PDB file of all heavy atoms in Angstrom:
ATOM      1  N   TRP A  36      15.507-117.017  90.407  1.00 98.00           N
ATOM      2  CA  TRP A  36      14.757-117.936  89.541  1.00 98.00           C
ATOM      3  C   TRP A  36      13.526-118.401  90.312  1.00 98.00           C
ATOM      4  O   TRP A  36      13.629-118.793  91.475  1.00 98.00           O
ATOM      5  CB  TRP A  36      15.599-119.155  89.167  1.00 98.00           C
ATOM      6  CG  TRP A  36      16.659-118.874  88.148  1.00 98.00           C
ATOM      7  CD1 TRP A  36      17.995-118.658  88.375  1.00 98.00           C
ATOM      8  CD2 TRP A  36      16.490-118.794  86.729  1.00 98.00           C
ATOM      9  NE1 TRP A  36      18.657-118.443  87.190  1.00 98.00           N
ATOM     10  CE2 TRP A  36      17.753-118.510  86.162  1.00 98.00           C
ATOM     11  CE3 TRP A  36      15.394-118.927  85.865  1.00 98.00           C
ATOM     12  CZ2 TRP A  36      17.946-118.379  84.783  1.00 98.00           C
ATOM     13  CZ3 TRP A  36      15.582-118.783  84.510  1.00 98.00           C
ATOM     14  CH2 TRP A  36      16.845-118.513  83.988  1.00 98.00           C
ATOM     15  N   PHE A  37      12.407-118.344  89.640  1.00 98.00           N
ATOM     16  CA  PHE A  37      11.141-118.794  90.193  1.00 98.00           C
ATOM     17  C   PHE A  37      10.525-119.787  89.212  1.00 98.00           C
ATOM     18  O   PHE A  37      10.893-119.821  88.036  1.00 98.00           O
ATOM     19  CB  PHE A  37      10.189-117.616  90.395  1.00 98.00           C
ATOM     20  CG  PHE A  37      10.621-116.672  91.470  1.00 98.00           C
ATOM     21  CD1 PHE A  37      11.652-115.754  91.243  1.00 98.00           C
ATOM     22  CD2 PHE A  37      10.023-116.677  92.715  1.00 98.00           C
ATOM     23  CE1 PHE A  37      12.064-114.887  92.237  1.00 98.00           C
ATOM     24  CE2 PHE A  37      10.418-115.816  93.711  1.00 98.00           C
ATOM     25  CZ  PHE A  37      11.438-114.922  93.472  1.00 98.00           C
ATOM     26  N   ARG A  38       9.579-120.567  89.706  1.00 98.00           N
ATOM     27  CA  ARG A  38       8.884-121.474  88.808  1.00 98.00           C
ATOM     28  C   ARG A  38       7.409-121.534  89.176  1.00 98.00           C
ATOM     29  O   ARG A  38       7.030-121.244  90.318  1.00 98.00           O
ATOM     30  CB  ARG A  38       9.500-122.873  88.838  1.00 98.00           C
ATOM     31  CG  ARG A  38       9.379-123.611  90.160  1.00 98.00           C
ATOM     32  CD  ARG A  38      10.177-124.908  90.107  1.00 98.00           C
ATOM     33  NE  ARG A  38      10.075-125.665  91.350  1.00 98.00           N
ATOM     34  CZ  ARG A  38      10.771-126.767  91.607  1.00 98.00           C
ATOM     35  NH1 ARG A  38      11.632-127.247  90.704  1.00 98.00           N
ATOM     36  NH2 ARG A  38      10.618-127.405  92.758  1.00 98.00           N
ATOM     37  N   GLN A  39       6.619-121.902  88.197  1.00 98.00           N
ATOM     38  CA  GLN A  39       5.176-121.954  88.423  1.00 98.00           C
ATOM     39  C   GLN A  39       4.560-123.054  87.584  1.00 98.00           C
ATOM     40  O   GLN A  39       4.829-123.162  86.382  1.00 98.00           O
ATOM     41  CB  GLN A  39       4.524-120.604  88.104  1.00 98.00           C
ATOM     42  CG  GLN A  39       3.065-120.521  88.487  1.00 98.00           C
ATOM     43  CD  GLN A  39       2.521-119.117  88.380  1.00 98.00           C
ATOM     44  OE1 GLN A  39       3.020-118.281  87.630  1.00 98.00           O
ATOM     45  NE2 GLN A  39       1.486-118.824  89.154  1.00 98.00           N
ATOM     46  N   VAL A  40       3.731-123.821  88.238  1.00 97.00           N
ATOM     47  CA  VAL A  40       2.912-124.826  87.578  1.00 97.00           C
ATOM     48  C   VAL A  40       1.526-124.242  87.409  1.00 97.00           C
ATOM     49  O   VAL A  40       1.019-123.578  88.316  1.00 97.00           O
ATOM     50  CB  VAL A  40       2.873-126.122  88.396  1.00 97.00           C
ATOM     51  CG1 VAL A  40       1.932-127.134  87.751  1.00 97.00           C
ATOM     52  CG2 VAL A  40       4.266-126.706  88.556  1.00 97.00           C
ATOM     53  N   LEU A  41       0.922-124.465  86.289  1.00 92.00           N
ATOM     54  CA  LEU A  41      -0.402-123.923  86.014  1.00 92.00           C
ATOM     55  C   LEU A  41      -1.370-124.286  87.132  1.00 92.00           C
ATOM     56  O   LEU A  41      -1.486-125.451  87.510  1.00 92.00           O
ATOM     57  CB  LEU A  41      -0.921-124.445  84.680  1.00 92.00           C
ATOM     58  CG  LEU A  41      -2.139-123.734  84.094  1.00 92.00           C
ATOM     59  CD1 LEU A  41      -1.811-122.277  83.799  1.00 92.00           C
ATOM     60  CD2 LEU A  41      -2.620-124.457  82.846  1.00 92.00           C
ATOM     61  N   GLY A  42      -2.002-123.265  87.689  1.00 94.00           N
ATOM     62  CA  GLY A  42      -2.959-123.489  88.751  1.00 94.00           C
ATOM     63  C   GLY A  42      -2.372-123.458  90.148  1.00 94.00           C
ATOM     64  O   GLY A  42      -3.100-123.566  91.134  1.00 94.00           O
ATOM     65  N   LYS A  43      -1.065-123.295  90.227  1.00 96.00           N
ATOM     66  CA  LYS A  43      -0.407-123.235  91.529  1.00 96.00           C
ATOM     67  C   LYS A  43       0.321-121.911  91.687  1.00 96.00           C
ATOM     68  O   LYS A  43       0.561-121.197  90.717  1.00 96.00           O
ATOM     69  CB  LYS A  43       0.564-124.404  91.693  1.00 96.00           C
ATOM     70  CG  LYS A  43      -0.105-125.768  91.730  1.00 96.00           C
ATOM     71  CD  LYS A  43       0.895-126.849  92.083  1.00 96.00           C
ATOM     72  CE  LYS A  43       0.222-128.197  92.196  1.00 96.00           C
ATOM     73  NZ  LYS A  43       1.199-129.271  92.572  1.00 96.00           N
ATOM     74  N   GLU A  44       0.680-121.607  92.918  1.00 96.00           N
ATOM     75  CA  GLU A  44       1.405-120.374  93.182  1.00 96.00           C
ATOM     76  C   GLU A  44       2.842-120.468  92.670  1.00 96.00           C
ATOM     77  O   GLU A  44       3.434-121.540  92.619  1.00 96.00           O
ATOM     78  CB  GLU A  44       1.422-120.090  94.687  1.00 96.00           C
ATOM     79  CG  GLU A  44       0.082-119.695  95.248  1.00 96.00           C
ATOM     80  CD  GLU A  44       0.177-119.258  96.702  1.00 96.00           C
ATOM     81  OE1 GLU A  44       1.284-119.275  97.265  1.00 96.00           O
ATOM     82  OE2 GLU A  44      -0.862-118.887  97.266  1.00 96.00           O
ATOM     83  N   ARG A  45       3.347-119.310  92.314  1.00 96.00           N
ATOM     84  CA  ARG A  45       4.740-119.237  91.905  1.00 96.00           C
ATOM     85  C   ARG A  45       5.633-119.443  93.123  1.00 96.00           C
ATOM     86  O   ARG A  45       5.339-118.938  94.211  1.00 96.00           O
ATOM     87  CB  ARG A  45       4.994-117.876  91.258  1.00 96.00           C
ATOM     88  CG  ARG A  45       6.364-117.681  90.675  1.00 96.00           C
ATOM     89  CD  ARG A  45       6.376-116.515  89.714  1.00 96.00           C
ATOM     90  NE  ARG A  45       5.791-115.321  90.275  1.00 96.00           N
ATOM     91  CZ  ARG A  45       5.472-114.235  89.560  1.00 96.00           C
ATOM     92  NH1 ARG A  45       5.662-114.227  88.258  1.00 96.00           N
ATOM     93  NH2 ARG A  45       4.953-113.184  90.166  1.00 96.00           N
ATOM     94  N   GLU A  46       6.717-120.190  92.943  1.00 97.00           N
ATOM     95  CA  GLU A  46       7.607-120.456  94.070  1.00 97.00           C
ATOM     96  C   GLU A  46       9.045-120.080  93.713  1.00 97.00           C
ATOM     97  O   GLU A  46       9.477-120.214  92.559  1.00 97.00           O
ATOM     98  CB  GLU A  46       7.552-121.932  94.496  1.00 97.00           C
ATOM     99  CG  GLU A  46       8.049-122.907  93.455  1.00 97.00           C
ATOM    100  CD  GLU A  46       8.224-124.313  93.997  1.00 97.00           C
ATOM    101  OE1 GLU A  46       8.403-124.474  95.217  1.00 97.00           O
ATOM    102  OE2 GLU A  46       8.198-125.260  93.175  1.00 97.00           O
ATOM    103  N   GLY A  47       9.752-119.619  94.718  1.00 98.00           N
ATOM    104  CA  GLY A  47      11.154-119.287  94.533  1.00 98.00           C
ATOM    105  C   GLY A  47      11.992-120.547  94.479  1.00 98.00           C
ATOM    106  O   GLY A  47      11.760-121.476  95.237  1.00 98.00           O
ATOM    107  N   VAL A  48      12.956-120.546  93.588  1.00 98.00           N
ATOM    108  CA  VAL A  48      13.827-121.706  93.398  1.00 98.00           C
ATOM    109  C   VAL A  48      15.238-121.403  93.876  1.00 98.00           C
ATOM    110  O   VAL A  48      15.812-122.151  94.664  1.00 98.00           O
ATOM    111  CB  VAL A  48      13.846-122.118  91.918  1.00 98.00           C
ATOM    112  CG1 VAL A  48      14.851-123.232  91.690  1.00 98.00           C
ATOM    113  CG2 VAL A  48      12.457-122.531  91.449  1.00 98.00           C
ATOM    114  N   ALA A  61      15.663-123.074  97.437  1.00 97.00           N
ATOM    115  CA  ALA A  61      14.519-123.755  98.037  1.00 97.00           C
ATOM    116  C   ALA A  61      14.967-125.140  98.473  1.00 97.00           C
ATOM    117  O   ALA A  61      15.843-125.753  97.835  1.00 97.00           O
ATOM    118  CB  ALA A  61      13.390-123.863  97.015  1.00 97.00           C
ATOM    119  N   SER A  63      13.642-127.885  98.159  1.00 97.00           N
ATOM    120  CA  SER A  63      13.342-128.916  97.164  1.00 97.00           C
ATOM    121  C   SER A  63      14.417-129.044  96.088  1.00 97.00           C
ATOM    122  O   SER A  63      14.451-130.051  95.370  1.00 97.00           O
ATOM    123  CB  SER A  63      11.992-128.620  96.499  1.00 97.00           C
ATOM    124  OG  SER A  63      12.003-127.348  95.886  1.00 97.00           O
ATOM    125  N   GLU A  89       8.675-133.632  89.329  1.00 97.00           N
ATOM    126  CA  GLU A  89       8.108-132.519  90.105  1.00 97.00           C
ATOM    127  C   GLU A  89       8.805-131.198  89.829  1.00 97.00           C
ATOM    128  O   GLU A  89       8.369-130.155  90.323  1.00 97.00           O
ATOM    129  CB  GLU A  89       8.137-132.841  91.606  1.00 97.00           C
ATOM    130  CG  GLU A  89       9.474-133.286  92.129  1.00 97.00           C
ATOM    131  CD  GLU A  89       9.610-134.799  92.157  1.00 97.00           C
ATOM    132  OE1 GLU A  89       9.067-135.472  91.246  1.00 97.00           O
ATOM    133  OE2 GLU A  89      10.255-135.303  93.090  1.00 97.00           O
ATOM    134  N   ASP A  90       9.886-131.217  89.080  1.00 98.00           N
ATOM    135  CA  ASP A  90      10.536-129.972  88.665  1.00 98.00           C
ATOM    136  C   ASP A  90       9.879-129.378  87.420  1.00 98.00           C
ATOM    137  O   ASP A  90      10.238-128.270  86.996  1.00 98.00           O
ATOM    138  CB  ASP A  90      12.026-130.214  88.368  1.00 98.00           C
ATOM    139  CG  ASP A  90      12.808-130.617  89.599  1.00 98.00           C
ATOM    140  OD1 ASP A  90      12.593-129.990  90.663  1.00 98.00           O
ATOM    141  OD2 ASP A  90      13.617-131.553  89.500  1.00 98.00           O
ATOM    142  N   THR A  91       8.949-130.087  86.844  1.00 98.00           N
ATOM    143  CA  THR A  91       8.245-129.593  85.659  1.00 98.00           C
ATOM    144  C   THR A  91       7.486-128.322  85.993  1.00 98.00           C
ATOM    145  O   THR A  91       6.702-128.276  86.936  1.00 98.00           O
ATOM    146  CB  THR A  91       7.266-130.661  85.136  1.00 98.00           C
ATOM    147  OG1 THR A  91       8.007-131.783  84.676  1.00 98.00           O
ATOM    148  CG2 THR A  91       6.412-130.103  84.005  1.00 98.00           C
ATOM    149  N   ALA A  92       7.770-127.263  85.250  1.00 98.00           N
ATOM    150  CA  ALA A  92       7.153-125.959  85.510  1.00 98.00           C
ATOM    151  C   ALA A  92       7.635-124.965  84.463  1.00 98.00           C
ATOM    152  O   ALA A  92       8.554-125.249  83.694  1.00 98.00           O
ATOM    153  CB  ALA A  92       7.522-125.444  86.900  1.00 98.00           C
ATOM    154  N   MET A  93       7.006-123.804  84.477  1.00 98.00           N
ATOM    155  CA  MET A  93       7.535-122.664  83.740  1.00 98.00           C
ATOM    156  C   MET A  93       8.517-121.968  84.666  1.00 98.00           C
ATOM    157  O   MET A  93       8.181-121.676  85.812  1.00 98.00           O
ATOM    158  CB  MET A  93       6.403-121.722  83.342  1.00 98.00           C
ATOM    159  CG  MET A  93       6.863-120.552  82.476  1.00 98.00           C
ATOM    160  SD  MET A  93       7.259-121.065  80.802  1.00 98.00           S
ATOM    161  CE  MET A  93       5.605-121.209  80.117  1.00 98.00           C
ATOM    162  N   TYR A  94       9.702-121.712  84.169  1.00 98.00           N
ATOM    163  CA  TYR A  94      10.741-121.081  84.971  1.00 98.00           C
ATOM    164  C   TYR A  94      10.943-119.637  84.529  1.00 98.00           C
ATOM    165  O   TYR A  94      11.040-119.353  83.330  1.00 98.00           O
ATOM    166  CB  TYR A  94      12.050-121.851  84.839  1.00 98.00           C
ATOM    167  CG  TYR A  94      12.066-123.120  85.651  1.00 98.00           C
ATOM    168  CD1 TYR A  94      11.303-124.221  85.273  1.00 98.00           C
ATOM    169  CD2 TYR A  94      12.822-123.216  86.819  1.00 98.00           C
ATOM    170  CE1 TYR A  94      11.285-125.382  86.023  1.00 98.00           C
ATOM    171  CE2 TYR A  94      12.825-124.374  87.574  1.00 98.00           C
ATOM    172  CZ  TYR A  94      12.060-125.453  87.171  1.00 98.00           C
ATOM    173  OH  TYR A  94      12.056-126.611  87.927  1.00 98.00           O
ATOM    174  N   TYR A  95      11.006-118.756  85.524  1.00 98.00           N
ATOM    175  CA  TYR A  95      11.143-117.325  85.274  1.00 98.00           C
ATOM    176  C   TYR A  95      12.371-116.782  85.998  1.00 98.00           C
ATOM    177  O   TYR A  95      12.651-117.179  87.132  1.00 98.00           O
ATOM    178  CB  TYR A  95       9.936-116.559  85.796  1.00 98.00           C
ATOM    179  CG  TYR A  95       8.623-116.955  85.190  1.00 98.00           C
ATOM    180  CD1 TYR A  95       7.853-117.975  85.747  1.00 98.00           C
ATOM    181  CD2 TYR A  95       8.128-116.295  84.065  1.00 98.00           C
ATOM    182  CE1 TYR A  95       6.638-118.335  85.202  1.00 98.00           C
ATOM    183  CE2 TYR A  95       6.906-116.642  83.513  1.00 98.00           C
ATOM    184  CZ  TYR A  95       6.175-117.666  84.082  1.00 98.00           C
ATOM    185  OH  TYR A  95       4.959-118.016  83.531  1.00 98.00           O
ATOM    186  N   PHE A 107      12.649-114.956  98.746  1.00 95.00           N
ATOM    187  CA  PHE A 107      11.746-115.665  97.840  1.00 95.00           C
ATOM    188  C   PHE A 107      10.364-115.028  97.740  1.00 95.00           C
ATOM    189  O   PHE A 107       9.452-115.632  97.199  1.00 95.00           O
ATOM    190  CB  PHE A 107      11.614-117.127  98.260  1.00 95.00           C
ATOM    191  CG  PHE A 107      12.862-117.938  98.034  1.00 95.00           C
ATOM    192  CD1 PHE A 107      13.379-118.745  99.040  1.00 95.00           C
ATOM    193  CD2 PHE A 107      13.513-117.908  96.817  1.00 95.00           C
ATOM    194  CE1 PHE A 107      14.524-119.487  98.831  1.00 95.00           C
ATOM    195  CE2 PHE A 107      14.655-118.652  96.591  1.00 95.00           C
ATOM    196  CZ  PHE A 107      15.168-119.451  97.606  1.00 95.00           C
ATOM    197  N   ARG A 108      10.202-113.816  98.243  1.00 93.00           N
ATOM    198  CA  ARG A 108       8.920-113.122  98.103  1.00 93.00           C
ATOM    199  C   ARG A 108       8.847-112.542  96.691  1.00 93.00           C
ATOM    200  O   ARG A 108       9.487-111.534  96.392  1.00 93.00           O
ATOM    201  CB  ARG A 108       8.795-112.020  99.140  1.00 93.00           C
ATOM    202  CG  ARG A 108       8.862-112.533 100.576  1.00 93.00           C
ATOM    203  CD  ARG A 108       7.619-113.291 100.984  1.00 93.00           C
ATOM    204  NE  ARG A 108       7.760-113.894 102.307  1.00 93.00           N
ATOM    205  CZ  ARG A 108       7.411-113.317 103.435  1.00 93.00           C
ATOM    206  NH1 ARG A 108       6.878-112.114 103.404  1.00 93.00           N
ATOM    207  NH2 ARG A 108       7.576-113.933 104.571  1.00 93.00           N
ATOM    208  N   ASP A 109       8.042-113.134  95.854  1.00 94.00           N
ATOM    209  CA  ASP A 109       8.073-112.744  94.440  1.00 94.00           C
ATOM    210  C   ASP A 109       7.609-111.305  94.230  1.00 94.00           C
ATOM    211  O   ASP A 109       8.033-110.658  93.261  1.00 94.00           O
ATOM    212  CB  ASP A 109       7.260-113.707  93.577  1.00 94.00           C
ATOM    213  CG  ASP A 109       5.807-113.812  93.989  1.00 94.00           C
ATOM    214  OD1 ASP A 109       5.411-113.188  95.003  1.00 94.00           O
ATOM    215  OD2 ASP A 109       5.047-114.520  93.304  1.00 94.00           O
ATOM    216  N   TYR A 110       6.799-110.773  95.130  1.00 94.00           N
ATOM    217  CA  TYR A 110       6.326-109.401  94.951  1.00 94.00           C
ATOM    218  C   TYR A 110       7.419-108.368  95.201  1.00 94.00           C
ATOM    219  O   TYR A 110       7.224-107.180  94.952  1.00 94.00           O
ATOM    220  CB  TYR A 110       5.108-109.112  95.823  1.00 94.00           C
ATOM    221  CG  TYR A 110       5.277-109.400  97.293  1.00 94.00           C
ATOM    222  CD1 TYR A 110       5.908-108.485  98.132  1.00 94.00           C
ATOM    223  CD2 TYR A 110       4.794-110.573  97.851  1.00 94.00           C
ATOM    224  CE1 TYR A 110       6.072-108.742  99.468  1.00 94.00           C
ATOM    225  CE2 TYR A 110       4.950-110.841  99.193  1.00 94.00           C
ATOM    226  CZ  TYR A 110       5.589-109.926 100.006  1.00 94.00           C
ATOM    227  OH  TYR A 110       5.743-110.195 101.338  1.00 94.00           O
ATOM    228  N   TRP A 115      10.619-109.132  85.366  1.00 98.00           N
ATOM    229  CA  TRP A 115      10.424-110.557  85.104  1.00 98.00           C
ATOM    230  C   TRP A 115      10.605-110.860  83.623  1.00 98.00           C
ATOM    231  O   TRP A 115      10.257-110.042  82.762  1.00 98.00           O
ATOM    232  CB  TRP A 115       9.013-110.980  85.517  1.00 98.00           C
ATOM    233  CG  TRP A 115       8.788-110.919  86.985  1.00 98.00           C
ATOM    234  CD1 TRP A 115       8.440-109.821  87.718  1.00 98.00           C
ATOM    235  CD2 TRP A 115       8.919-111.992  87.913  1.00 98.00           C
ATOM    236  NE1 TRP A 115       8.350-110.158  89.042  1.00 98.00           N
ATOM    237  CE2 TRP A 115       8.636-111.483  89.198  1.00 98.00           C
ATOM    238  CE3 TRP A 115       9.247-113.351  87.792  1.00 98.00           C
ATOM    239  CZ2 TRP A 115       8.664-112.275  90.344  1.00 98.00           C
ATOM    240  CZ3 TRP A 115       9.282-114.131  88.921  1.00 98.00           C
ATOM    241  CH2 TRP A 115       8.990-113.602  90.178  1.00 98.00           C
TER     242      TRP A 115
END
Side-chain angles (χ1 to χ4, degrees):
W36 285 100
F37 292 77
R38 65 187 181 186
Q39 188 170 25
V40 176
L41 194 62
K43 295 188 177 181
E44 290 187 0
R45 185 163 50 192
E46 64 169 336
V48 174
S63 58
E89 52 265 35
D90 295 316
T91 295
M93 184 73 78
Y94 283 72
Y95 300 89
F107 290 131
R108 300 288 174 91
D109 58 356
Y110 54 82
W115 293 84

